Amino acid sequence: MYAQMIQSEASQDDPQKLAEFQARIDADIKIEPRDWMPEGYRKTLIRQIGQHAHSEIVGQLPEGNWITRAPTLERKMILLAKVQDEAGHGLYLYCAAETLGVSRDDLTEQLLSGKMKYSSIFNYPTLTWADIGAVGWLVDGAAIMNQVPLQRTSYGPYSRAMIRICKEESFHQRQGFDIMMKMAQGSEAQRRMAQDALNRFWYPSLMMFGPSDADSVHSTQNMAWKIKMNTNDELRQKFVDQTVPQAEFLGLTVPDETLSWNEEKGGYDFSEPDWSEFFDVLKGNGPCNTERLEARNKAWDDGAWVREGLLAHAEKKRARKTAAE
Amino acid sequence: MSKEWPLWEIFIRGQHGLSHRHVGSLHAPDAEMAIKNARDVYTRRNEGVSIWVVEANHIAASAPSEKGPLYEPSESKIYRHPTFYDIPDDVGHM
Amino acid sequence: MAQNNTHLAEFLLRMGDNALILGHRTSEWCGHAPVLEEDIALANTALDLIGQTQLWLTYAAEVMGDGKTADDLAFLRDVWDFRNLLLVELPNGDFGHTLMRQFLFDAYQSIHLPRLVRSTDPRVAEIAEKASKEASYHVERSADTVVGLGDGTEESHNRMQAALDRLWPYVGEMFATDPVDAAMAEAGIAPDPASLRTEYDALVGRVLAEATLTVPESTFAHKGGRTGQTHTEHLGHLLTQMQWLQRAYPGATW
């Protein structure tokens, strides 16, 4: 997901306080910034929300790659509005993280130095216009699986950010599917393009949920804290079950020969992605890791004089006002 | 590292006459830019709204009690709405 | 097409092409701005401009009457058929350069569009009604940023002065009246651009003074974009990218 492989931090806290804290979470009472919270909860949340925020702004890049090449004025506006939303979602999430006592600049520095991660999916290239359809349909489709339950997460500011994000995000997946429909019903070249996009994005989309974590202690702790709402396998299964019929509707073939309906479990059996590829991408060896971080670093470095200039002006204005009083 | 722009809390009153409501936060060099940023980030320029901005460190907040109750605190472009896309019924829920 | 309609179509292409090309340039920033808040604001500006493009070019296509759409005009014309100001096709440069270009254009629009609201052509008036609201916000925002950066640090001041020096020779084209403008003014459809210069100079002068920037003395003006006589070399590269899919897959539906 946008926050993959989040390890939980252990806490050395007063057992009485811990028990009260857990009771609040169990009773679905939100934890707010000034409330007592275990240090492990705070640190884990910073890591998770930060990684989610980074994913949003790095996620601007593969889709932004096609804004200047969108094929119609309407598609251009839709794509621009969508990528702009991602900047907004990054902003909401950074603000949620800031309530936990970390600054946006700190988080940004950690992204730029490679110390903090972002979702593996954004290290894959968007080569054709059909990829923009596939990203909306599959990547946003997978993200929504995770984000909808996170609206109920225990941390108030995170939950509120997710509610806002889900509301705005509702058009993202549909615009992707809409692009895929046009391609699938289009010329021979467009159909081939659509199938090619599905072939390349299918397994990376399944990887978004992360490896199986049914037996992970981190996962168990994070679920008890309600900062993770489902296991990775549950969400992946749900995604496959939802997506396969959509692919059939488009007349496209999911690139998995073992894919079959399992009547007994009421879901599809499917092949696991290549997890060694996933770990390679996380280590920095995905097709676009270098380009993505270079682009973020360049924007940050090139923008330094702007951030400093506008702040200097604000300080001058304040000083002038004070002097006049 | 250079200094970060201050954090502002954003309150917006919509068109329906309700009081200003906290919608989120953002960074800006000063109050004027905070209002403009709020307009771009949180209203997508919906007409007839009123925006308040308060620098976050100027907000005085009550202390939460350990077990106490919780302190609960756009007209967008049409293509931002899911109904803009005509997805056939056969596809199912999206 | 009757002579009147030829002039009207030409005028509408000028309006639409300015919005299209500047909207496209601004959209290039998406994901690369100095700070998230600016990234979002620039995208809003680009969205407004591309929205305006649709309105102007749709009307232009109707007036031309040969069954074309706004998309045909945007994606299937070559450089010599574009009618935008040279100013808006220049590459983005740094953020200061982009914002200075935006301000110089917004200032013009914020004066021009309210006049068009009173146009004798109801469609022009209707489009201008919507666009002028957007332009008045754009100019407020870009003026603030130009002032903030001009009167910021030494570096930001120097960069903004360099941007102004580079862009100023492209301002004069906005006010160069030609027979199309004369016909529009005659018909009460649009004001004679030359008549807007005093107001423009006052607005721009006030903002640039507040920004502690010096308006270059030279009155030289690069021209030819809005008449279609010539363009910069940059426009062809912009179109190569923008029109790629429509050109590579002729007749496809997207």
Side-chain angles (χ1 to χ4, degrees):
Chain A
M1 200 38 53
Y2 283 7
Q4 294 157 326
M5 310 283 290
I6 297 298
Q7 303 207 327
S8 61
E9 290 269 346
S11 298
Q12 310 274 324
D13 294 295
D14 173 6
Q16 169 74 23
K17 278 186 161 176
L18 274 177
E20 283 170 12
F21 178 79
Q22 190 60 48
R24 264 185 83 166
I25 289 181
D26 293 343
D28 278 332
I29 298 173
K30 296 275 185 257
I31 308 301
E32 295 296 337
R34 289 162 60 93
D35 291 335
W36 183 87
M37 62 185 81
E39 195 53 17
Y41 176 85
R42 197 180 67 83
K43 282 188 177 158
T44 309
L45 264 180
I46 289 176
R47 195 176 298 157
Q48 176 169 333
I49 300 173
Q51 187 169 317
H52 193 160
H54 296 332
S55 297
E56 295 284 354
I57 63 160
V58 176
Q60 286 185 273
L61 301 171
E63 289 183 279
N65 184 34
W66 278 89
I67 290 173
T68 55
R69 289 179 289 172
T72 67
L73 293 171
E74 185 176 273
R75 289 285 177 210
K76 201 185 195 61
M77 288 195 287
I78 291 171
L79 183 58
L80 181 54
K82 175 179 191 288
V83 181
Q84 179 199 41
D85 276 350
E86 280 150 20
H89 299 170
L91 186 148
Y92 307 154
L93 288 161
Y94 283 125
C95 288
E98 283 178 271
T99 63
L100 292 159
V102 61
S103 77
R104 192 201 293 179
D105 278 6
D106 284 343
L107 289 171
T108 304
E109 296 286 340
Q110 291 188 58
L111 167 70
L112 298 180
S113 66
K115 215 175 133 196
M116 279 184 86
K117 300 289 178 207
Y118 54 88
S119 176
S120 57
I121 190 71
F122 301 119
N123 291 311
Y124 289 87
T126 51
L127 303 178
T128 70
W129 177 250
D131 288 5
I132 298 307
V135 168
W137 173 36
L138 301 174
V139 175
D140 290 306
I144 289 165
M145 293 274 154
N146 182 48
Q147 294 182 161
V148 167
L150 272 178
Q151 294 178 98
R152 293 180 284 110
T153 187
S154 61
Y155 188 57
Y158 191 24
S159 160
R160 290 191 283 276
M162 291 315 304
I163 288 169
R164 197 171 184 96
I165 288 170
C166 285
K167 200 170 128 205
E168 294 185 1
E169 187 125 324
S170 54
F171 87 87
H172 291 186
Q173 192 194 7
R174 293 176 74 110
Q175 67 85 34
F177 193 77
D178 192 54
I179 290 175
M180 292 307 272
M181 276 202 308
K182 282 280 188 326
M183 308 283 288
Q185 294 161 2
S187 66
E188 174 59 21
Q190 285 177 301
R191 276 197 299 279
R192 278 177 46 218
M193 219 188 275
Q195 182 62 53
D196 171 67
L198 175 57
N199 292 349
R200 280 182 291 106
F201 275 94
W202 175 254
Y203 286 108
S205 300
L206 296 188
M207 290 177 201
M208 285 178 71
F209 300 94
S212 179
D213 60 355
D215 306 319
S216 151
V217 284
H218 298 299
S219 185
T220 309
Q221 174 62 79
N222 291 345
M223 285 174 80
W225 278 339
K226 291 189 186 164
I227 58 181
K228 181 180 174 72
M229 310 301 283
N230 306 86
T231 68
N232 295 347
D233 289 327
E234 278 166 12
L235 291 173
R236 187 168 18 247
Q237 181 70 51
K238 206 173 156 204
F239 173 74
V240 171
D241 292 346
Q242 177 185 290
T243 309
V244 169
Q246 292 168 350
E248 282 168 2
F249 178 87
L250 292 170
L252 300 176
T253 309
V254 173
D256 178 358
E257 284 174 6
T258 69
L259 188 76
S260 65
W261 178 256
N262 181 331
E263 192 62 53
E264 204 176 317
K265 78 170 177 185
Y268 286 91
D269 290 331
F270 56 93
S271 301
E272 289 280 311
D274 175 358
W275 290 111
S276 65
E277 177 182 317
F278 172 77
F279 288 109
D280 269 339
V281 174
L282 281 198
K283 263 183 260 162
N285 296 322
C288 299
N289 294 61
T290 310
E291 284 88 344
R292 300 294 183 245
L293 272 189
E294 271 173 4
R296 291 310 321 162
N297 271 289
K298 184 176 188 318
W300 186 246
D301 295 344
D302 289 356
W305 72 271
V306 176
R307 296 189 300 274
E308 285 159 16
L310 291 176
L311 190 61
H313 176 69
E315 279 161 6
K316 277 188 200 175
K317 243 185 2 186
R318 200 172 308 128
R320 273 181 226 138
K321 204 176 152 200
T322 314
E325 276 163 6
Chain B
M1 196 171 71
S2 63
K3 239 171 81 183
E4 191 165 5
W5 290 354
L7 186 70
W8 300 78
E9 298 300 332
I10 310 302
F11 301 81
I12 290 180
R13 175 158 53 70
Q15 296 169 346
H16 307 297
L18 297 173
S19 35
H20 283 77
R21 191 170 149 260
H22 183 241
V23 293
S25 350
L26 49 74
H27 289 270
D30 60 23
E32 287 77 18
M33 284 311 289
I35 289 175
K36 289 203 167 67
N37 287 346
R39 190 170 170 182
D40 277 306
V41 172
Y42 286 106
T43 77
R44 304 288 202 262
R45 300 178 318 294
N46 201 351
E47 302 300 323
V49 297
S50 157
I51 300 172
W52 286 352
V53 300
V54 185
E55 207 175 325
N57 62 16
H58 289 165
I59 289 191
S62 60
S65 62
E66 298 267 315
K67 287 186 191 171
L70 277 183
Y71 295 86
E72 275 299 312
S74 64
E75 184 106 359
S76 284
K77 310 253 193 280
I78 54 163
Y79 45 79
R80 289 189 190 280
H81 296 282
T83 47
F84 180 71
Y85 303 94
D86 197 15
I87 306 287
D89 292 342
D90 321 13
V91 178
H93 174 75
M94 183 175 289
Chain C
M1 215 176 352
Q3 183 65 18
N4 285 351
N5 274 358
T6 311
H7 283 143
L8 178 58
E10 190 76 7
F11 167 75
L12 294 170
L13 286 178
R14 292 174 180 185
M15 297 303 293
D17 288 348
N18 279 340
L20 172 61
I21 301 302
L22 187 59
H24 182 95
R25 282 291 189 219
T26 312
S27 79
E28 291 173 12
W29 273 100
C30 188
H32 305 278
V35 65
L36 276 175
E37 284 80 355
E38 291 293 341
D39 206 298
I40 293 166
L42 278 172
N44 272 339
T45 302
L47 282 171
D48 285 344
L49 289 170
I50 300 165
Q52 292 172 19
T53 304
Q54 259 188 332
L55 300 173
W56 291 120
L57 291 187
T58 298
Y59 188 27
E62 281 171 33
V63 172
M64 290 158 95
D66 50 5
K68 289 207 171 76
T69 64
D71 280 336
D72 293 334
L73 291 176
F75 293 94
L76 297 172
R77 278 179 301 155
D78 203 346
V79 167
W80 66 77
D81 281 332
F82 272 79
R83 293 292 182 267
N84 56 280
L85 296 163
L86 300 177
L87 175 75
V88 299
E89 69 194 46
L90 296 175
N92 285 338
D94 67 12
F95 183 82
H97 191 275
T98 296
L99 261 291
M100 181 60 81
R101 182 185 62 195
Q102 188 69 41
F103 169 66
L104 294 172
F105 180 75
D106 290 343
Y108 180 76
Q109 292 290 81
S110 73
I111 294 165
H112 189 216
L113 288 169
R115 306 286 172 96
L116 293 184
V117 172
R118 304 195 296 269
S119 173
T120 53
D121 183 310
R123 279 285 289 283
V124 169
E126 193 188 322
I127 298 170
E129 174 84 35
K130 178 177 186 293
S132 66
K133 282 184 200 146
E134 294 169 346
S136 67
Y137 178 66
H138 294 172
V139 72
E140 221 184 282
R141 182 161 186 119
S142 59
D144 269 8
T145 313
V146 164
V147 169
L149 291 174
D151 182 35
T153 60
E154 192 184 342
E155 181 183 6
S156 73
H157 174 85
N158 292 342
R159 282 177 181 263
M160 294 312 280
Q161 186 63 54
L164 179 59
D165 294 347
R166 173 81 171 83
L167 295 171
W168 191 251
Y170 293 90
V171 166
E173 188 186 8
M174 299 173 186
F175 307 98
T177 304
D178 76 345
V180 175
D181 298 309
M184 290 298 101
E186 173 78 29
I189 293 175
D192 176 358
S195 70
L196 308 176
R197 180 90 210 214
T198 314
E199 203 179 329
Y200 181 86
D201 284 342
L203 168 60
V204 168
R206 180 174 55 73
V207 171
L208 294 178
E210 204 188 327
T212 69
L213 297 172
T214 311
V215 178
E217 276 176 21
S218 167
T219 55
F220 175 78
H222 291 289
K223 292 182 193 122
R226 64 194 293 274
T227 61
Q229 195 198 345
T230 189
H231 279 281
T232 67
E233 289 181 348
H234 306 295
L235 182 60
H237 293 282
L238 183 154
L239 296 183
T240 303
Q241 203 172 69
M242 184 172 88
Q243 300 180 338
W244 154 251
L245 276 173
Q246 291 274 2
R247 301 286 192 181
Y249 302 93
T253 306
W254 304 96

